[in-house]
Amino acid sequence: MTAQPYFSSAERIGKLMTIAASWLDTPYVQSGAVKGCGVSCHRLAAAVLSEAGVAMDDVPERGDTGRRQFAQAMRGWLESRPARFAPVGPDEPLCPGDILLCDFGIGHIALYLGGEQRAVLQVLLRGATHLASLLDPQLQGRVRAAWRPLEGGCDGQ
């Protein structure tokens, strides 16, 4: 039996959107994870998903690792948890809650929220948490891989 996506109900998607909105305008701080004070891209995705009920308690720390190398470490972390996250195939549509690994010349992690504008929650170096769109030419073609949280890897909230 294939595990079901965690964000498959309107209630859970609504909760995800509310939590994501509560992180908007939080400034970038390397390895930060404090709403309103500072957050990094990988900790933003982890914090939002964790608040929404996805088990994210053992996300690796970046430390002194370069951004590109850390993005590869996050890929390895996601791949090593097949009961919690499923890779999204290149021809599959993205769904709310998908973790995106992007390439801007450096590694970057964002959280897909979906909707008509194909919204993405992200924070960039020297910026603040904001919504972007996969329809934006600056983001088009930058997603290199995606993983979907699974029902079996969540705490059931």
Side-chain angles (χ1 to χ4, degrees):
M1 183 172 112
T2 303
Q4 295 298 311
Y6 183 71
F7 294 102
S8 57
S9 72
E11 179 181 343
R12 286 184 178 165
I13 292 170
K15 183 177 180 180
L16 176 71
M17 300 305 180
T18 299
I19 293 164
S22 75
W23 280 87
L24 291 174
D25 298 320
T26 298
Y28 176 88
V29 171
Q30 182 174 316
S31 296
V34 180
K35 191 184 300 183
C37 293
V39 67
S40 63
C41 63
H42 81 287
R43 302 285 281 176
L44 173 63
V48 171
L49 290 174
S50 180
E51 281 186 61
V54 178
M56 299 292 289
D57 55 327
D58 58 347
V59 173
E61 292 294 330
R62 179 174 163 213
D64 293 332
T65 307
R67 288 185 290 263
R68 182 177 298 277
Q69 292 81 10
F70 185 74
Q72 291 305 314
M74 279 297 294
R75 175 189 284 265
W77 181 83
L78 289 160
E79 288 173 346
S80 72
R81 286 151 178 79
R84 290 165 62 181
F85 302 98
V88 177
D91 296 327
E92 287 182 70
L94 294 172
C95 294
D98 287 355
I99 299 170
L100 308 179
L101 269 63
C102 307
D103 186 0
F104 290 101
I106 58 171
H108 177 60
I109 296 160
L111 185 64
Y112 186 72
L113 299 176
E116 204 171 288
Q117 291 300 309
R118 300 190 68 204
V120 173
L121 180 69
Q122 66 177 3
V123 62
L124 301 173
L125 188 65
R126 293 184 283 287
T129 303
H130 63 279
L131 294 177
S133 171
L134 287 182
L135 302 175
D136 183 327
Q138 290 185 322
L139 278 176
Q140 286 180 351
R142 305 275 185 171
V143 176
R144 299 294 181 244
W147 282 267
R148 183 163 296 142
L150 300 174
E151 181 70 39
C154 303
D155 66 15
Q157 290 183 355

